Amino acid sequence: MSYENAWLTYRMRQDSRDKKYFSKVYAEDESIVAVTAVKELERAGREILGVRMEQAGCAAEAGICLRLVSDPAIGEEGYQLREEEGCITISSEGARGLLYGSFALIRRLQMELPLEGLCMLETPSNPLRMLNHWDNMDGSIERGYSGNSFFFKDEKVIVDERTRAYARMAASVGINASVINNVNVRGNATKLITEEYGKELREMSEIFAEYGIRLFLSLNFAAPMELGGLDSADPLDGQVAAWWKDTMEDIFRRIPNLGGFLVKADSEGRPGPFTYGRTHADGANVLADAAAPYGGIIIWRCFVYNCQQDWRDRKTDRARAGYDNFMPLDGKFRDNVILQIKNGPMDFQVREPVSSLLGGLTDTNQILEVQIAQEYTGQQRHVCYLIPMFKEILGFHTYCCGGQDTVADIVSGRTWGQKSCGMAAVANTGNDDNWTGHDLAAANLYGFGRLSFQTDAGARELAEEWAACTFGNDRVVTETVTKILMMSWPAYEKYTAPLGIGWMVNPNHHYGPNVDGYEYDRWGTYHRADHLGLGIDRSRQGTGYAQQYRKENADLYEDIKTCPEELLLFFHYIPYTYRLKSGKTLIQHIYDTHFEGAGDVESMDILWSSLEGKIPERVYKRVKERLEHQKEHSKEWRDQINTYFFRKSMIPDEKGRQIY
Ligand SMILES: CO[C@H]1[C@H](O)[C@@H](O)[C@H](O)O[C@@H]1C(=O)O
């Protein structure tokens, strides 16, 4: 087994400025998480400063002191870092806060930021900061682009040193929950809730616990039938409820650090309550009642839509489905149920509006689900730094109330006073040496964790931090890498599907351009291009999706004149000759952005080449190879899209560039 340490790659510093703090450490708390914090400080002292830290006998002797305080302004997961007279105090109300504070201090050490006079307080924005792994028990990963699973192999659960390395990495950026198996629960994965896998899962959860991470499992709604031999999984059937009660009792006993379950029901062929004419509230609540005595939570996904559509049907709209299915149930879920909502109403496209459910629901716990596995954004072969996109989503005003109405407000619990809520990312990890296939994709993993902890952090700031920790504190490297990252999402958007329309990818694997790949299919994913224009009319005259938003946004999206242009084709059918605010026609915009986007990739490649010799060769080459591919592949995108729309519209490029 070989793996690297990503942003926890420590380098020996040449200066001795901070050695004094790392001489002796004293921890007031002896819990396992506090012990981890001390170990991490010791390791950083050793590997970055070359010092052997000793345990101090009392706080007064220590250079670093971990203190448990009673201060609601800090809380159990927040921390305060304070330097005074040669001693750094890390204070928190809980051990996890001490661990996060220790990692924050280590980050400063890696970045060589001054510690003298340090005084900072950070509290997490979100109660839950989760990774969702779509790992299967045969070791494959659904939408995985960085090797195989490090949680499962050959139908077995793997617990080894990489388990700890994973937990350490996740905790270092503030992750506190992890769902280790795919939401599509099939075959042996259904049995993860049984005795059969109990021992290994318990071991894994104990390692997670050292890092303050709770283990979650995805479960199969039909388990009472598949495992229990019942002839139904009807949530209102007494036998089914009793089966869940017994099952939950067993598993929570077996695995004390189990947080609960994630459920994909009535979605893309998975079983669910609809089979029995029951609602999703009925489905979630039967599980929630069974898990409640153990403090367990049920995270129920809202990715429920009809995947058997007829492309000729212009009224049924997949975008509407989440809201249509779940809004009527607002307020009907138990307190320990959280609805998990994908950021957009479709499926992780490079550009989508924010889901209308976020801001719609007022009486239900909510988690925002994003995808750092780059299923539709270059599959970790293209660089696509997604944190700027997540920032836009978090900052979106839903107008759901007078004051705190952004997505960040809602999922943090500020808006409706909820305690069970937060953010989840479909993870981009695998057993590749560098964890994420593309080395630069690790910025999404790092960025997601840090952002879910601190939604105010800036995308650029996080990119810089990540680059400095990963590649060392060389200004030129940090700036160049940050530049590449910051231009990558806009570039990807430019050379792929235009103005919010999405898709145009090859069916099934979703990689590479295929404009009509999903046009005449059953998935509800259309662009409706003809010789006059393209786009979906989602106004009142069309599918009416725009009206699912609060009035301010509904009005904005309803009207072509006020609809944000990056979403124009998502909400409207637009003629090729329509003039955008730039003065360009739609067709000219399509041509220009596609040439620009492919050009941006050339610039990214030149920027990366300038780093040769400044970063480890192995890493340099891995990224270089992928950038070479991205360069060619972005041209393929450019040419297929431009050619397609030239042939449809027969309008030539004003600039006379080659279109095929
Ligand atoms: C796990 O299934 C995935 C499926 O592979 C993927 O193509 C789609 O994005 O979303 C599904 C989901 O989110 O459930």
Side-chain angles (χ1 to χ4, degrees):
M1 179 186 349
S2 78
Y3 57 87
E4 298 162 9
N5 286 312
W7 57 86
L8 296 174
T9 303
Y10 296 153
R11 281 170 203 78
M12 194 65 83
R13 269 175 44 181
Q14 300 310 317
D15 65 306
S16 54
R17 190 188 65 196
D18 298 326
K19 283 189 180 170
K20 57 178 185 280
Y21 303 113
F22 283 75
S23 55
K24 284 188 179 168
V25 58
Y26 181 76
E28 276 182 358
D29 185 18
E30 286 172 1
S31 67
I32 47 166
V33 178
V35 169
T36 305
V38 170
K39 279 193 198 148
E40 288 297 334
L41 290 165
E42 285 169 348
R43 176 168 177 176
R46 202 166 57 237
E47 295 181 12
I48 303 175
L49 302 175
V51 294
R52 265 185 80 87
M53 246 182 151
E54 286 168 25
Q55 306 269 340
C58 63
E61 286 175 10
I64 299 177
C65 180
L66 279 61
R67 288 191 53 207
L68 277 185
V69 293
S70 167
D71 183 349
I74 301 178
E76 288 194 4
E77 291 193 296
Y79 58 85
Q80 187 177 48
L81 293 181
R82 200 178 202 133
E83 192 275 351
E84 265 170 327
E85 294 167 19
C87 176
I88 295 170
T89 311
I90 305 173
S91 322
S92 177
E93 283 200 318
R96 271 179 299 166
L98 296 178
L99 180 63
Y100 301 141
S102 301
F103 276 120
L105 180 62
I106 294 169
R107 207 149 46 226
R108 295 185 75 87
L109 211 59
Q110 287 177 280
M111 296 171 74
E112 299 176 36
L113 294 170
L115 301 182
E116 207 177 313
L118 177 64
C119 183
M120 66 182 278
L121 171 68
E122 226 183 34
T123 56
S125 312
N126 292 294
L128 276 166
R129 307 172 298 278
M130 309 189 85
L131 290 176
N132 289 183
H133 296 268
W134 288 354
D135 291 24
N136 299 315
M137 296 205 59
D138 62 1
S140 63
I141 302 179
E142 181 152 348
R143 312 306 175 188
Y145 312 107
S146 37
N148 289 322
S149 173
F150 45 76
F151 293 129
F152 307 106
K153 191 181 174 189
D154 302 334
E155 311 298 318
K156 293 197 181 72
V157 175
I158 311 176
V159 184
D160 60 20
E161 65 179 78
R162 196 158 184 166
T163 315
R164 179 170 277 102
Y166 162 80
R168 173 174 182 249
M169 251 170 70
S172 77
V173 289
I175 296 295
N176 65 0
S178 175
V179 188
I180 58 166
N181 66 308
N182 189 357
V183 286
N184 289 323
V185 185
R186 300 189 187 95
N188 282 330
T190 302
K191 297 191 205 151
L192 285 171
I193 57 175
T194 68
E195 180 88 63
E196 194 173 327
Y197 293 101
K199 184 174 158 288
E200 291 80 5
L201 287 177
R202 186 188 172 114
E203 279 169 24
M204 182 183 287
S205 82
E206 282 167 355
I207 295 175
F208 282 14
E210 291 175 29
Y211 289 88
I213 296 170
R214 276 193 300 164
L215 175 76
F216 282 72
L217 296 171
S218 296
L219 64 72
N220 181 345
F221 192 77
M225 299 164 77
E226 291 184 28
L227 301 176
L230 302 185
D231 55 11
S232 149
D234 180 352
L236 299 192
D237 177 328
Q239 273 187 305
V240 171
W243 188 86
W244 279 121
K245 257 180 136 204
D246 292 345
T247 303
M248 292 290 180
E249 183 180 343
D250 288 349
I251 190 164
F252 280 102
R253 290 253 154 81
R254 249 187 329 265
I255 311 174
N257 184 34
L258 184 70
F261 300 92
L262 175 63
V263 191
K264 172 176 180 176
D266 288 319
S267 168
E268 300 183 332
R270 302 317 300 144
F274 284 166
T275 311
Y276 312 98
R278 310 299 184 197
T279 70
H280 279 251
D282 297 330
N285 290 344
V286 70
L287 298 172
D289 289 341
Y294 319 99
I297 56 178
I298 301 300
I299 303 173
W300 192 270
R301 293 176 88 228
C302 294
F303 187 57
V304 177
Y305 69 99
N306 174 8
C307 63
Q308 301 287 345
Q309 261 182 249
D310 184 330
W311 59 271
R312 286 157 289 213
D313 166 9
R314 284 176 178 258
K315 275 291 170 195
T316 307
D317 182 2
R318 170 167 168 180
R320 296 187 54 113
Y323 190 98
D324 286 344
N325 280 310
F326 287 91
M327 264 313 276
L329 303 176
D330 194 16
K332 300 210 162 77
F333 294 91
R334 300 282 189 266
D335 282 350
N336 60 331
V337 174
I338 313 178
L339 292 189
Q340 182 162 302
I341 305 166
K342 286 192 184 186
N343 63 268
M346 297 297 277
D347 194 10
F348 303 134
Q349 302 303 295
V350 68
R351 173 76 66 177
E352 285 186 47
V354 164
S355 163
S356 51
L357 267 177
L358 294 158
L361 298 167
T362 61
D363 206 7
T364 304
N365 299 319
Q366 295 158 66
I367 282 181
L368 170 69
E369 178 180 326
V370 295
Q371 190 190 44
I372 52 178
Q374 295 166 234
E375 178 177 358
Y376 295 99
T377 49
Q379 303 198 349
Q380 289 152 244
R381 296 181 77 189
H382 293 224
V383 192
C384 192
Y385 178 54
L386 294 165
I387 307 305
M389 181 209 283
F390 302 163
K391 286 291 293 179
E392 284 187 15
I393 294 160
L394 288 166
F396 178 74
H397 285 282
T398 64
Y399 299 99
C400 65
C401 62
Q404 301 184 310
D405 71 341
T406 65
V407 171
D409 292 326
I410 293 168
V411 301
S412 70
R414 286 191 289 275
T415 309
W416 310 115
Q418 288 151 344
K419 300 257 175 307
S420 255
C421 39
M423 287 172 68
V426 178
N428 59 357
T429 53
N431 69 358
D432 278 359
D433 285 359
N434 65 358
W435 299 84
T436 52
H438 203 310
D439 286 83
L440 300 187
N444 285 327
L445 182 59
Y446 179 93
F448 169 76
R450 293 275 294 120
L451 187 65
S452 65
F453 198 90
Q454 207 59 59
T455 49
D456 287 342
R460 176 180 300 275
E461 173 196 339
L462 293 176
E464 280 170 359
E465 246 184 59
W466 171 79
C469 292
T470 305
F471 299 119
N473 204 25
D474 173 337
R475 232 21 250 163
V476 175
V477 176
T478 309
E479 274 167 22
T480 308
V481 171
T482 302
K483 206 165 175 183
I484 295 172
L485 291 175
M486 291 305 287
M487 62 195 288
S488 62
W489 173 51
Y492 195 83
E493 183 174 20
K494 283 187 230 173
Y495 63 76
T496 58
L499 302 179
I501 193 73
W503 307 97
M504 303 193 175
V505 290
N506 285 298
N508 307 321
H509 61 71
H510 299 165
Y511 193 65
N514 185 345
V515 182
D516 284 337
Y518 272 116
E519 191 58 13
Y520 306 104
D521 214 329
R522 62 186 171 89
W523 298 92
T525 48
Y526 312 116
H527 57 67
R528 308 278 190 213
D530 56 25
H531 68 297
L532 296 174
L534 83 150
I536 313 288
D537 185 355
R538 290 188 160 107
S539 71
R540 271 201 197 85
Q541 283 76 46
T543 73
Y545 171 71
Q547 292 304 315
Q548 289 185 340
Y549 291 88
R550 303 274 170 170
K551 187 172 183 330
E552 289 83 346
N553 287 325
D555 289 353
L556 198 75
Y557 293 142
E558 181 74 23
D559 186 348
I560 295 181
K561 291 272 163 317
T562 53
C563 181
E565 281 192 338
E566 67 275 12
L567 291 169
L568 204 53
L569 300 175
F570 187 91
F571 283 106
H572 299 281
Y573 172 87
I574 305 286
Y576 296 119
T577 51
Y578 178 84
R579 286 211 182 265
L580 300 175
K581 294 195 183 91
S582 61
K584 285 180 190 177
T585 58
L586 170 63
I587 190 72
Q588 194 56 41
H589 173 87
I590 293 177
Y591 296 149
D592 286 355
T593 47
H594 283 75
F595 281 107
E596 253 172 60
D600 289 348
V601 180
E602 303 228 344
S603 310
M604 280 152 53
D605 181 52
I606 293 170
L607 283 167
W608 184 257
S609 299
S610 75
L611 297 180
E612 187 166 13
K614 288 189 160 52
I615 41 184
E617 199 186 337
R618 151 187 110 260
V619 179
Y620 174 81
K621 282 196 176 141
R622 281 195 301 236
V623 174
K624 178 74 185 159
E625 213 176 280
R626 281 176 159 78
L627 275 166
E628 291 289 345
H629 166 75
Q630 186 177 357
K631 230 167 39 175
E632 287 319 302
H633 203 232
S634 64
K635 285 184 195 142
E636 179 71 20
W637 267 102
R638 173 194 73 190
D639 292 338
Q640 283 209 30
I641 302 266
N642 282 348
T643 301
Y644 182 95
F645 287 105
F646 170 63
R647 291 182 185 177
K648 276 256 144 108
S649 69
M650 290 308 289
I651 302 173
D653 171 30
E654 279 170 6
K655 299 183 185 151
R657 290 162 293 196
Q658 181 160 23
I659 293 176
Y660 298 85

